[in-house]
Amino acid sequence: MIRVALLVAGKDLRIERRSRVLLWQVLPFGVTALVLCGLALGPTHAGHSSAAPGLFYLVMLLVALLMINRAQVIESSPGTRASIATLGLDPAGVFLGKALALAVELWLTGLVVLAGSVLFLHTALSGTLEAVPSVAVTLAALAAAGTLYGALSGGGQGPATLLPILSLPAFAPLLIAGERSFSSSLHGGSLWRWWLISLVALAAYLAIGILLYGVLEES
Amino acid sequence: MIKTLSQRLLGPVTLVLLALTFWLGLWVTPPDKVQGNLARLLYVHPAIAWVALYVSFGTAAIASALYLWKRTRSVVMDRVAHCAMEVSTVFIILTLITGSIWGRPTWGVWWAWDARLTSTAILGLFELAYLALRRANDDPELRARRSAVFAIIAAVNVPIIHFSVDWWNTLHQGATVFTENGNLLVHGIMLWTLFLSLFAFTLLFFWLLRARYRVEVLRAQRYDVALDEALAQRRREGVH
């Protein structure tokens, strides 16, 4: 399973590296969305970091939706599903691989958007660095959930519009837990409690994905 | 015969019990010492929430799990899950509306960012997403499989809603009947009316589910007949 996961993750990341979509489209989109959040707050409030954790995760949710849609487009290109089926790859491994690739992409984007929040939203550098591990766990949970919802929405009518409806309610608890743990890093508070919620969500989505991804791919 | 009788009696019995609940709740039970007549929502709101969160959503989740299990996989399970989820969506909306009616005079606002309210609303969004997912897939088997997986993922939300009043500091009041220490916080005729409302609304759910299921079966039959007619038409065109 792990071997298949690494194989699939490597394949997805190679496609991303060659297409440069992450570099030239997703990262600029993330930074633009963050700047727009600052503009929406107005010059007086944009410099106050109390809203920054929530805005960071809101931007990351939008980025995640883009990335999941992108992963689905790659997956639905002619012959891809057929070749995976022909190779007889373990569906649990395929799920883990796709989730890992998405997590790596979200981590890279997250680092840039975190730097952007220090620059534009004036979050304290020490607090932001302290938040990095919790951000990594929350984004990994987002990737696991996103991979599952991407498979659910793919292939039907209007997958691009269906994906946000399916996934945003599930992302809401992650947004809350991520925002609270980031805020705790910046202003003090029960960081571990919220981090634990993200960790439990990550474990739950990985377990559900390992068990049920094969059922979704049967189609 | 017993089956037919129970099916025929389900509707009238439900209506009688609902009427009895409303009569007891509005005229017989006394107003609450603290909340006054507002407490009469106790005979509607908890029962609707009980049906929305546990009975109907539970039915949908169990039917979905049974659909995914190969031994029990059948179109009946898929239909039950779909119909129960539709009824649950209606009850979730009613839960939020009756909760808001209670919240406005109690908390001063129609909506509060409270743990239980927010998690219930998120479950409602899950249910709308479930219905959207069903509409997005034309292939019946694919639709059934995906919907079943989605229902099971959404079911994770139910324990969060149930325990939210214990886990987080929340405006929503805690349990009044099934309390942690077993002490009842509601007594006498108020307690019995509460139990009656839970039973009456549970029966209402099964009545609605049965009616919705029959509509679904008729729709499937109509689709089959229309398909047969279209094929026959094509064959006739081919002969000429």
Side-chain angles (χ1 to χ4, degrees):
Chain A
M1 188 167 75
I2 300 295
R3 200 178 58 84
V4 172
L6 292 174
L7 195 76
V8 172
K11 184 257 306 175
D12 279 12
L13 289 172
R14 264 196 304 277
I15 290 172
E16 278 308 325
R17 199 186 65 196
R18 284 172 192 164
S19 66
R20 310 273 165 117
V21 169
L22 180 73
L23 186 65
W24 295 112
Q25 291 175 23
V26 178
L27 286 179
F29 169 77
V31 175
T32 309
L34 196 69
V35 171
L36 284 175
C37 285
L39 291 175
L41 283 175
T44 322
H45 300 289
H48 296 183
S49 60
S50 61
L55 295 178
F56 166 77
Y57 275 105
L58 198 62
V59 169
M60 288 312 296
L61 285 190
L62 297 174
V63 166
L65 287 177
L66 270 186
M67 304 294 302
I68 299 160
N69 253 331
R70 162 104 184 117
Q72 279 306 307
V73 169
I74 293 170
E75 207 59 27
S76 57
S77 58
T80 310
R81 276 177 198 275
S83 49
I84 287 176
T86 314
L87 287 168
L89 296 176
D90 179 10
V94 175
F95 164 75
L96 283 178
K98 297 200 81 60
L100 178 63
L102 186 59
V104 170
E105 290 159 18
L106 284 177
W107 287 334
L108 289 173
T109 316
L111 283 177
V112 175
V113 179
L114 272 181
S117 71
V118 173
L119 186 67
F120 300 122
L121 303 176
H122 303 176
T123 56
L125 184 62
S126 58
T128 307
L129 288 175
E130 202 184 313
V132 167
S134 75
V135 168
V137 172
T138 309
L139 293 183
L142 212 61
T147 306
L148 209 51
Y149 287 106
L152 273 169
S153 63
Q157 293 166 8
T161 45
L162 186 62
L163 179 67
I165 301 168
L166 293 185
S167 57
L168 288 181
F171 289 167
L174 294 173
L175 175 82
I176 296 167
E179 191 273 334
R180 294 314 311 157
S181 57
F182 195 170
S183 285
S184 301
S185 304
L186 291 173
H187 311 295
S190 55
L191 170 70
W192 295 101
R193 190 173 153 210
W194 295 106
W195 195 358
L196 192 68
I197 291 177
S198 297
L199 207 60
V200 169
L202 171 63
Y205 276 113
L206 286 178
I208 293 171
I210 287 169
L211 283 173
L212 295 179
Y213 195 75
V215 178
L216 294 174
E217 291 299 295
E218 269 177 40
S219 52
Chain B
M1 187 187 164
I2 293 169
K3 191 182 166 191
T4 316
L5 195 67
S6 65
Q7 282 173 354
R8 282 190 178 172
L9 283 178
L10 185 60
V13 168
T14 304
L15 289 177
V16 168
L17 289 180
L18 281 174
L20 193 62
T21 303
F22 282 103
W23 176 64
L24 288 171
L26 288 175
W27 284 285
V28 178
T29 52
D32 183 67
K33 210 189 299 179
V34 180
Q35 297 184 30
N37 282 322
L38 195 61
R40 294 185 196 282
L41 268 172
L42 179 75
Y43 313 118
V44 180
H45 177 69
I48 292 174
W50 152 258
V51 171
L53 297 179
Y54 305 106
V55 182
S56 55
F57 194 85
T59 305
I62 290 168
S64 299
L66 289 174
Y67 181 84
L68 287 178
W69 195 27
K70 281 185 180 169
R71 277 190 187 181
T72 48
R73 184 174 290 182
S74 75
V75 71
V76 175
M77 291 303 159
D78 178 49
R79 278 183 196 150
V80 169
H82 176 208
C83 299
M85 196 66 92
E86 267 192 11
V87 178
S88 182
T89 310
V90 173
F91 274 88
I92 279 273
I93 292 167
L94 288 174
T95 304
L96 293 172
I97 290 171
T98 52
S100 284
I101 292 170
W102 185 84
R104 181 71 180 89
T106 312
W107 301 336
V109 284
W110 291 103
W111 175 264
W113 288 102
D114 170 79
R116 181 162 279 187
L117 264 70
T118 312
S119 50
T120 307
I122 288 174
L123 185 68
L125 294 175
F126 265 116
E127 293 186 344
L128 291 175
Y130 175 93
L131 299 177
L133 180 64
R134 286 197 76 91
R135 292 189 75 86
N137 289 286
D138 289 330
D139 178 10
E141 206 190 320
L142 184 69
R143 179 175 60 212
R145 207 182 304 146
R146 287 184 172 186
S147 309
V149 171
F150 187 73
I152 287 171
I153 300 171
V156 176
N157 211 42
V158 174
I160 296 175
I161 294 168
H162 182 86
F163 293 110
S164 59
V165 285
D166 302 324
W167 290 347
W168 290 288
N169 294 327
T170 165
L171 287 169
H172 196 283
Q173 71 183 70
T176 47
V177 179
F178 302 107
T179 54
E180 274 183 10
N181 52 15
N183 291 338
L184 288 170
L185 300 176
V186 56
H187 308 276
I189 187 73
M190 293 174 89
L191 179 66
W192 289 112
T193 310
L194 175 64
F195 280 139
L196 179 68
S197 71
L198 291 172
F199 185 60
F201 277 97
T202 305
L203 281 187
L204 176 65
F205 161 72
F206 284 110
W207 188 30
L208 291 174
L209 178 67
R210 185 172 164 268
R212 182 66 189 84
Y213 185 86
R214 283 176 65 191
V215 170
E216 200 58 30
V217 171
L218 289 172
R219 184 185 284 176
Q221 283 172 354
R222 194 179 144 208
Y223 177 80
D224 289 343
V225 169
L227 192 66
D228 287 345
E229 280 174 2
L231 286 171
Q233 177 73 27
R234 283 280 173 198
R235 283 194 202 101
R236 280 197 295 275
E237 284 170 8
V239 170
H240 296 302

